[in-house]
Amino acid sequence: MYRASFEPTAPGVYRYYAVFSSDNEETWVSSEENSVTVYQSNADTEPPAAPALGGLLEESGRASLSWTADDESIAGFDIYRQSVTDAVYRKIATVAKEARAYTDFTVNNDTTYTYKVAAFDQAYNRAFSEPQTVTPRLVMIDVTLRLHLPDYTPTTDDITIAGGLQWLERVVDQADGAERRDHTRGRGILVQDDGGQVDSV
């Protein structure tokens, strides 16, 4: 016999059933559906203090949430999200009362999402944070490599950099103090100064 349990976080009607497979998930069989109705007690109607959701950083392929909450009556947190195509907020996760952060990996870059965090107590009272909005995007960063080479290394030598670098920029300091910027695809060209140090790749 198999057993399972779940804990509702809000009043309402919950329908549940079990599914199982005996052929390595080729086919599935479902049990009969049952339901349970959860009611909110009238003895406790005081919600916990609302959590304070911090600002969201622009990242690629994810949205990282963090919040503060100090109310000892909090039993857990529900995470809600609304995209530009959603008419209402949708609950995407429930986390423990000790949690103060959550990362949503089910986002698409260049799509705007708005989040709220709800703190709930044992009586299903809840309080929502203020909303925070973020648009995940592919984040580009500038990287400068500074290397020390032996003095006998020819200044005309090239170096191949392993990895997935698509474009590298070479910054060359001219004698007159001006910069010349060259681009190369897939490899960096070393420029050695008087001290045997590669200035930038």
Side-chain angles (χ1 to χ4, degrees):
M1 177 179 292
Y2 296 93
R3 297 180 182 274
S5 63
F6 69 95
E7 184 175 352
T9 65
V13 178
Y14 292 84
R15 295 180 173 86
Y16 60 93
Y17 60 94
V19 295
F20 67 93
S21 174
S22 59
D23 54 6
N24 199 27
E25 301 182 1
E26 291 292 332
T27 59
W28 294 87
V29 178
S30 299
S31 70
E32 293 183 1
E33 182 180 289
N34 287 288
S35 65
V36 60
T37 301
V38 177
Y39 298 95
Q40 185 168 9
S41 172
N42 294 326
D44 179 5
T45 59
E46 183 69 24
L53 178 60
L56 308 182
L57 295 178
E58 185 178 285
E59 300 177 277
S60 177
R62 65 182 181 180
S64 300
L65 286 67
S66 62
W67 60 89
T68 58
D70 299 322
D71 196 321
E72 294 184 356
S73 69
I74 293 174
F77 299 94
D78 285 334
I79 314 299
Y80 291 83
R81 184 184 76 186
Q82 183 182 36
S83 71
V84 292
T85 59
D86 294 329
V88 297
Y89 281 89
R90 301 179 185 276
K91 185 170 74 172
I92 60 172
T94 298
V95 296
K97 63 181 181 181
E98 297 83 9
R100 294 297 182 271
Y102 176 80
T103 301
D104 180 11
F105 291 102
T106 63
V107 299
N108 296 315
N109 283 347
D110 301 317
T111 299
T112 299
Y113 300 91
T114 302
Y115 293 87
K116 288 183 179 181
V117 176
F120 60 86
D121 60 18
Q122 294 287 358
Y124 306 130
N125 301 302
R126 63 187 52 232
F128 288 86
S129 70
E130 292 297 320
Q132 294 287 350
T133 299
V134 67
T135 304
R137 301 185 192 279
L138 183 64
V139 179
M140 305 299 293
I141 60 173
D142 294 326
V143 177
T144 298
L145 305 179
R146 304 188 69 85
L147 307 175
H148 290 277
L149 300 179
D151 293 338
Y152 55 78
T153 303
T155 59
T156 57
D157 276 8
D158 292 351
I159 185 172
T160 299
I161 299 178
L165 297 178
Q166 296 298 312
W167 285 97
L168 298 173
E169 182 179 65
R170 178 177 66 166
V171 180
V172 184
D173 292 325
Q174 303 296 304
D176 58 2
E179 288 186 351
R180 184 182 78 250
R181 293 179 178 268
D182 297 333
H183 293 82
T184 181
R185 188 174 182 84
R187 68 177 187 176
I189 301 175
L190 297 183
V191 180
Q192 188 176 16
D193 62 19
D194 293 339
Q197 176 178 319
V198 173
D199 191 65
S200 182
V201 177

